[in-house]
Every structure is written in structure tokens, then in C-alpha cells.
Amino acid sequence: MSSTLQKRLFINGVETLVFAPAKSTLAEVLREQLHLTGTKVGCGQGQCGACSVILNGKVVRSCITKMSRVPEESYVTTIEGIGAPGNLHPLQKAWALYGAAQCGFCSPGFIVSAKGLLDENDTPTRTDVRNWFQKHRNACRCTGYKPLVDAVMAAAEVLRGDAPEESLEFKMPEDGRIWGSKYPRPTAEAKVTGTLDYGADLGLKLPDDTLCLALVQAEVNHANILSIDTSKAETMPGVHAVLTAKDVKGKNRIFGLVQSPYHKGDGWERPIISDTKVFQYGDVLAVVCASTYEEANAAAKEVAVELEMLPAYMSAPEAMADDAIEIHPGTPNVYFTQPLIKGDETAPIFERDDVVVAQGDFVTSRQPHMPIEPDVSFGYMGEDELLHIHSKSIAVHLHAFMIAEGIGLTPDKIAMASNPMGGTFGYKLSPTSEALVGAAVLVTGRPCFLRYNYHQQMTYTGKRSPFHISARMAADKSTGRILALEHDYAVDHGPYCEMASVLTGRGIQFIGAGYDIPSIRGMGRTVCTNHAWGAAFRGFGGVQSYFVGETLVEDLAEALGQDPLEFRYANCYREGSTTPTGATPDVIALPQLLDALRPKYKEAKARTARNSTEEIKKGVGIAVGVYGAGADGMDTAEVFIQYDPDNGVTLGCSWEDHGQGADIGAVGTTHEALRPMGVPVEKIRFSWPDSSKQPPAGPAGASRSQVVVGGALRAACNAMLETLKKADGGFMTYDEAVAAEKPTRFEGTYSSQGSACDPDTGLGDPFVNCMYTIYMAEVSVEVATGKVKVDRVSCVADLGSINNRLAVDGQIYGCIAQGIGLALSEDFEDIKKHSTMIGGGFPYIESIPDDMEIEYFENNLRAHGPFGASGAGEGPMVNPHMSVINAIHDACGARIYRLPATPERVLEAIRKAQ
């Protein structure tokens, strides 16, 4: 029998009598009983701080605060007690103004935590703020932390009377133009007040007959399924149904988007509910549908599974071994290859006496995405007879297509909608829980809700695929020009093939990118393994490629006795250069960026030389990055704009927002395009994506949205301007348009004009719009322990014309933080060790420098981008880790060939260098 406790509490100043299960947490009571959903639950383990509240004057993590330990007559302050829409606290105003709310999921917890700090100390230093957030485990995956500290410092000035509150409000430019400004995101107010409902919040608002789902999952990596016995679970309290593979009405597979004729599988290998085999840890064996979350989980523990263990191949070399069995019978473990043949034969060049050669064998990490919000989905049958699925999808039309046949529907019978969501960083380019929810709704006929705990988030969502790469690069001893490159790499993509061929192609596109290399021979291959499946991750394939290219370039400079910056300057793209796939660069950006970085670099070299000691070695590293803004080859988006009765517009575009700023991207582009009409920015309405309500605009990945979806929005705006223009040069109001029988809905389509790489040679022009960044990192290496601290980072960037400076700043700061994590700590190789945020190496604020600067160059307007824009989300991610890795080498001579550069690996490399 469960026990109930009664307590009198003061919640946000209101006396409240609470009755709660004795084992419940404060977060559960606040969210599920009092419906104060501004308090978010992320990790559920006290490691992220999203659930922070103030309890009797102290900041606590409510997800691990048991109600039994909350004193009687306690005072609890949640985000709802700090400020509300229309009546924001200075901290909330500052959060919006400084772009501290990107995905916004962690924002309420940070703001509450900051309130606790300022209640104790209204004159904090930046170090005080950083130490406070570290102490209270406030974690952010989006912002790089710098905007958060900026916001706290600005709010503190206002609270102590040193600045007027008006200083926290955005000042509209005199010309009324927001393109290129720091106009706050349209969703910022809802995010900073906790009133924006994310998936788990919406789940609390579903009808009473909603079923909660719990998964029965494999805890082994490879096995044959002998039997699954659900009989006991079916008799458990509250259980409505227990689904196994036989209950799924369709093909019971998720389509892996196989398109290349050189792909040796059919793309239908990923089960929705496993039927014959377990291919990786976490594969779903059964789904329990019950009245409550607790009942579903209790029943899931009673499902009996009998397995026959098989050899588990946890890396590409293991799966490629001669004696390895086929993971998917009938399909070889190496199931896709992509060669690259550019220029003259490379082998004779490497044999010449007048060249210097750099070479190495490289392994990148299985970096986990580690969003603060775990995966969550729900579904129901609508009155329109469509299956509605709400999730963290960043590809609503694509996901409806990928799961439809598997659950026995056609795509047009699925309405896939994106919830407001915490950051995904690409993992949600793959379906995760959508098909499970859809199958459950179709079997039970009732709304169904599924939320992952953080262990499930870590163990049963995709990861960055490790590359195993052997490569060498040759340069002329006399001229210092790079002459040739060779590489051979295997992509460990886990057991499922989604986007595998595209990822493998990224290696030939970006190993050596940024430099004019006349002769290249390469071969990439995709390998099926039993580790976590490979998913899209920010900087998809570029991160792995630049680990190789920027190491070899650095080592060639050292071998030639040249300065690393000057060697790059001599070899980077210029007029007449070609990319690794033989294309002409879209703009010539790198010489200008290197010129801008040079004085900063010289200062940094002098500073690190001056401050380096025998115990703490300091160094400087730089890294060049180039990445495409768009999908390979032709990439298309369709949108519409609806003219509204108040003379505003509603945007019908499925530009999914997972923290990167789809709201301000769409609104900023539309505002710029409709400037002749003078539509106020507050009357431009962003709408959340829904595949049943909007035409296909393509996924929010590959840094394509600003370019391709933005291009379609501009086309729709141009159609609107042309249709509504009056003879006197003005434009019709809505009422005038209706009276004149003019349309009030305007379609827009845009297609980029790239060409996919040839499957036999690898040559092609896949990206007609690219992003260019160069990072410089300064590090300190403790030579006795191998510990590395990043002291400061500078970035120079050419991203074309900037739509919203606040959003793009945030993207780069976030890339720096993720790049530092990638370089030094993040991994998911050991499933048991790495399945929490702390275990996975999540970079908290103490790991990220406060000293970060960005300098933009906007003189290279992109011909294939609205108003000259390029992308911003992924290009800045491909190289910050390499500036850190090269800085380690500069500091102590240690050359890292396997990521992450843990203290143990750095120590080993120091010993080898000595």
C-alpha cells in the first residue's frame, strides 16, 4: 500500500495544501499536481539543473528533492513566481535581449538559479556567476554559456539601480529594419517565463483516456530473439495492452532512405519493434500501454525475454574482420563505398624526393548529442481521420514518409507535428519514438504518450558515427604547396543505414577542404556494427574530416618549418582553386579571414610563450573550416504566406525549430522581403510545423533552412508584393485585396542548383552555398596529469549576410562549447560508463572559456541565398575541436590521433613526443 503525505507549502507566495505520494519528488508535485510546468525535467538525475527552484531561499534541483525532505511551511519559488508574460523580471528581459534562450528548455532553471544568486549577491563578478552555475549543475547545450553570464550581469545592474530597466529592452533601428540586428526571438518571452509548452508539458494536457507507454528494451548488443512472454505483464494493474512485433499493422520497419544503386542493403533493416533479432543495445522488444507511467513501467519489468547471444561487433574494424558474421543476413557488413578520384595519380607524388609527407591513423569519437530535453512523443486519431503524431521531429514530412509503410499507412494519412522542443543537434533527423507511438495508437485506438528517461535518451537515440581513417598529405619542399592527398576510411554507422551514404560522402567532400589540392585519391566505406546507430549530428561528417585534414596541414607546416597560419594562407582557396570534389568554391573567403586572424594570432603566440611554465604549458592552435549550406545536389522547399485580416501575415512553412532559431529565421527573412509593404514584425506570425497543414519545406538540418526555406519564403513574399501592388506604388490592405478578389495566400518555391557527386569518381558540385570559419584556441596543458583547459577562443567567420546577429552569435558560441566537449571529454563508447550526462563528458560552464570573440565578414554575398545569406548552424561546428587539438600540440608537442583527448591520451601523447 502506498503512503500519502500532506504538507502546507507557500508556492510562489500562495499558501497551498499539498497531498502527494511520500516517494514523489518536488518536481513531480509542481508539474503533475500543481501544473507549474515552467519547471522542466531534463536528466531526472540532478545533473542538468533544468528543474531548479528556490526552496526556503536556496536553489535546489527539484527532480532529486524528495517531498518527504521538504519541510512543512516551506517557501518554494518557481519560474512562474519570478515573472510572467507582459510583466517580466529583469533577469527574464535580459535573457531575451542577450539571446540566452535558444531552444529555451534550460532557461527557466537558469533564471531561477540566477535569481537565487542575485538574492544573495547583487554585485557578482562574471567569475561569481560562472562558479554559481557550476556549483548548481546548471547545464546548457545551446549557448556556450557566455550569453547567460552576459544576461545575469546586465540584470544585476538594473536590480541594484546602476542601469535603467529600459536598458534591457530591444531598441528598434531607426529604419525599422531587423535584418542584421539583434532582434530577440519571437518565442523568447514564452521561453523565459516557462509558458512555452514542450512535449512533456503537452503530455500533461492530453485527454484522461491517454495511455502511457513503457518500453521493454534489449540490454545486449546482438542476439537472436527466441521468445517474448507478455502474459504476466498483461495482468498487471492499469495495463491496457502489451504490444510485440506481431501487433504492428504494417511492415514493422523504418525506411532508411536508401537511394544509391551502390548501396547493398534495401534500407528496411530497422525494426519498429524487434521481431527476429536484437541489433543494438536498447532495441525495443515490447511496448506496454497502461493508464499511468508508473503502471506501464512496472509491467514492463514483467515481460520475459529469451535470447540467443551472438558475437557483438562494437567497432568498424571488428565488423570488417574476415570471420565476422553478417549482422543483417544477406547484406554484407561493408554495405556502401564511395571513391574519390581527382587529378593525377597520387602514388608517384608521394615517392618523390622533393616532397615532405605528413600521415596518420585517426579515430573519432561516438559523440552523444546530450540535449537537455529527452525524447518525447504522443499521438492520437483526429476527427480528420489522420494519425496525429507530435514529437521533436525536425523533418515532419520526411518522418511521415519513413514510418508510414512500417505502421501500415500512407504518408498522407499521418499528420506529423513538431512540438516546441529542446535542442536536438541533429539526432532528430532520424525518427526515434514516432513509429512506436503511431503503432500503439493504431492498435489501442486511444491517445498514447511516450517520454524517454535520460538513460533511454543516451542509449536509444543515434550518435555521431566514428570514422577510422588512414591518410597522408604531401607538399613541395621548395614551394610549400600541397600537392597530393590520400585517404581511406571506414564509417562505423551502427546497425541502421539512415543517411549512411550521405555521411560517407562527407568524407570525400571535406577531408582536405579549404585547400587547393590538385591530386586526391580516397575511398570511404560504410560499416554495419552493433554499437549505437549513427545519426545526423551538427557538422555531419565535417567534424571527422577536419580532424584529419587540419592535423595533416599542421604537421606539414611543422615539417617544412613554416608558421601554421602562413602555410594555410599560401594553400587556401583562391581564384582558380577547386574543392576536393573538383568544384569551384562559391566565394573566396579564406584569405580575408586569415588576414583578419593574423594580428590576433601573433598576440596569442606571444601571450602563451610569455605565460607558459614547466608545469603548465600553453599553446595556440588554429583550424580552417568550410561546410555546405544545403543538402547534396538539388535541394527544394515549398512554403506559403497567408495575408491576415489585421494586415499581418502567417507563415506556412515547416521550418522546424530545435533551438537554432527557425522562428527568427523565418520572421526575419519575411520582414526583410516585405519591407516595401511595411508589415510590422509583430504581425509576422511563425507557425509550428505540421505535415498536414504546410507543404514540404524539407528538414531543419544540413544548414539548409536559411538558404532553401528562406529562399522559398522570399519567393512567396515577392508573389505577394507583385499581386498586391497598387498603381500609386502602395499595396492593398487585406480588405482591399478581398474586395478586389485578389488571392490572400501566396505560394513560394526555391531550389538550389548543386550537382550530386559522381558515385564512381566522387567529383561534383554538391553545395552552391558554403560557410567559412577559422577558429583560434589558446589552451593550458598540465603536463603532470594531461589535463587540458581552454583559456580563450576566437572565431572569424564568413557566413554571408547575417539575418539575426543574436541567433548566429549563439550558434557559434554553442559550436565552440560542443567542439570543446568533442575535443576533450565527450564519448559514448562504453555504454554503462557513458550513459549519463556526467559520464558522457558533458561540458559544464567551467569547461568553456568566458573569453570568446567572433568577427564576421559580410562582403561576400551569396548568389544562392536570400539577401546574400548562407547557413550558420553547422559550418561553425566542423573545426573548433581542431583548434583545441592543434593548440595542445603547440603547447606540449603531443599529437592526438583519437578523440576525445582525455588526460590519459594527452599524457600518452606527451610521452611519445618526448
Side-chain angles (χ1 to χ4, degrees), residues 533-809:
W533 91 74
F537 197 157
R538 193 182 209 173
F540 189 56
V543 161
Q544 298 94 325
S545 300
Y546 285 97
F547 183 41
V548 178
E550 287 303 289
T551 297
L552 296 180
V553 165
E554 192 85 0
D555 288 351
L556 280 180
E558 183 175 21
L560 290 166
Q562 293 190 20
D563 178 85
L565 185 146
E566 301 306 335
F567 181 72
R568 287 175 169 85
Y569 190 78
N571 283 282
C572 69
Y573 292 160
R574 298 176 186 275
E575 294 295 336
S577 297
T578 56
T579 70
T581 61
T584 300
D586 62 325
V587 295
I588 302 302
L590 294 175
Q592 176 177 242
L593 298 184
L594 286 163
D595 281 336
L597 187 64
R598 186 177 287 107
K600 305 175 194 289
Y601 174 72
K602 289 181 177 179
E603 291 174 8
K605 291 289 287 184
R607 181 167 50 245
T608 54
R610 186 169 59 249
N611 295 329
S612 191
T613 68
E614 288 301 312
E615 296 78 21
I616 306 292
K617 299 287 188 182
K618 293 182 177 287
V620 182
I622 60 176
V624 166
V626 183
Y627 199 73
D632 295 49
M634 183 172 288
D635 188 5
T636 299
E638 300 173 29
V639 305
F640 70 83
I641 293 177
Q642 181 67 52
Y643 202 14
D644 295 332
D646 67 348
N647 300 314
V649 293
T650 296
L651 309 183
C653 65
S654 57
W655 186 340
E656 298 91 353
D657 194 339
H658 49 131
Q660 85 283 20
D663 57 344
I664 191 60
V667 169
T669 302
T670 303
H671 187 262
E672 181 71 2
L674 293 181
R675 284 185 72 212
M677 282 186 69
V679 179
V681 64
E682 61 272 13
K683 288 189 177 183
I684 300 174
R685 302 172 180 96
F686 172 77
S687 54
W688 297 99
D690 185 324
S691 66
S692 67
K693 297 178 180 178
Q694 297 143 353
S703 282
R704 62 179 295 281
S705 298
Q706 179 61 69
V707 175
V708 186
V709 186
L713 282 169
R714 187 181 187 188
C717 291
N718 287 343
M720 183 175 179
L721 293 173
E722 183 177 340
T723 301
L724 301 181
K725 190 167 186 178
K726 297 194 290 190
D728 63 2
F731 295 89
M732 294 180 186
T733 65
Y734 174 85
D735 290 338
E736 289 172 336
V738 171
E741 298 184 345
K742 296 288 188 179
T744 58
R745 172 171 162 145
F746 305 91
E747 315 288 338
T749 301
Y750 179 82
S751 295
S752 63
Q753 301 298 317
S755 60
C757 293
D758 185 272
D760 295 312
T761 66
L763 299 179
D765 188 7
F767 310 109
V768 297
N769 186 324
C770 288
M771 301 159 279
Y772 298 81
T773 57
I774 305 176
Y775 284 97
M776 178 181 73
E778 299 176 50
V779 306
S780 298
V781 181
E782 190 177 88
V783 294
T785 65
K787 292 181 179 178
V788 177
K789 179 178 181 294
V790 180
D791 299 318
R792 56 180 56 84
V793 177
S794 297
C795 175
V796 289
D798 184 334
L799 307 175
S801 176
I802 304 295
N803 178 345
N804 184 269
R805 188 66 61 95
L806 206 58
V808 176
D809 282 354

Side-chain angles (χ1 to χ4, degrees), residues 763-900:
L763 299 179
D765 188 7
F767 310 109
V768 297
N769 186 324
C770 288
M771 301 159 279
Y772 298 81
T773 57
I774 305 176
Y775 284 97
M776 178 181 73
E778 299 176 50
V779 306
S780 298
V781 181
E782 190 177 88
V783 294
T785 65
K787 292 181 179 178
V788 177
K789 179 178 181 294
V790 180
D791 299 318
R792 56 180 56 84
V793 177
S794 297
C795 175
V796 289
D798 184 334
L799 307 175
S801 176
I802 304 295
N803 178 345
N804 184 269
R805 188 66 61 95
L806 206 58
V808 176
D809 282 354
Q811 289 297 287
I812 292 180
Y813 290 140
C815 286
I816 291 171
Q818 287 188 340
I820 290 171
L822 171 68
L824 301 179
S825 62
E826 295 181 34
D827 206 357
F828 187 70
E829 202 58 40
D830 185 325
I831 293 173
K832 291 184 178 179
K833 177 181 177 182
H834 295 147
S835 61
T836 65
M837 289 177 64
I838 292 174
F842 190 96
Y844 291 90
I845 195 169
E846 68 177 1
S847 302
I848 309 303
D850 194 40
D851 190 347
M852 297 189 284
E853 65 170 354
I854 307 167
E855 184 177 2
Y856 296 109
F857 291 83
E858 298 183 66
N859 55 308
N860 286 312
L861 298 181
R862 303 302 195 266
H864 301 279
F867 311 109
S870 186
E874 298 197 63
M877 182 67 213
V878 300
N879 53 326
H881 64 300
M882 278 315 302
S883 66
V884 174
I885 296 300
N886 284 335
I888 294 171
H889 181 68
D890 183 61
C892 61
R895 173 52 73 196
I896 301 298
Y897 292 99
R898 181 167 191 144
L899 295 176

Side-chain angles (χ1 to χ4, degrees), residues 316 465-468 489-494 500 503-504 524-529:
S465 296
F467 279 32
H468 297 252
Y489 59 94
V491 179
D492 175 349
H493 203 58
L503 175 61
T504 304
R525 55 186 60 79
T526 320
V527 185
C528 182
T529 73

Side-chain angles (χ1 to χ4, degrees), residues 114 140 153 214 219 289 316 374 376 418 462 477 484 499 509 707 738 865 879 895:
C140 180
M153 298 302 290
E219 296 182 1
C289 312
V376 58
S418 287
K477 289 180 179 178
M499 290 161 282
Q509 292 162 352
V707 175
V738 171
N879 53 326
R895 173 52 73 196

Side-chain angles (χ1 to χ4, degrees), residues 440-454:
V441 171
L442 293 174
V443 171
T444 65
R446 288 167 60 173
C448 292
F449 175 71
L450 173 60
R451 59 182 171 95
Y452 285 11
N453 60 34
Y454 214 78

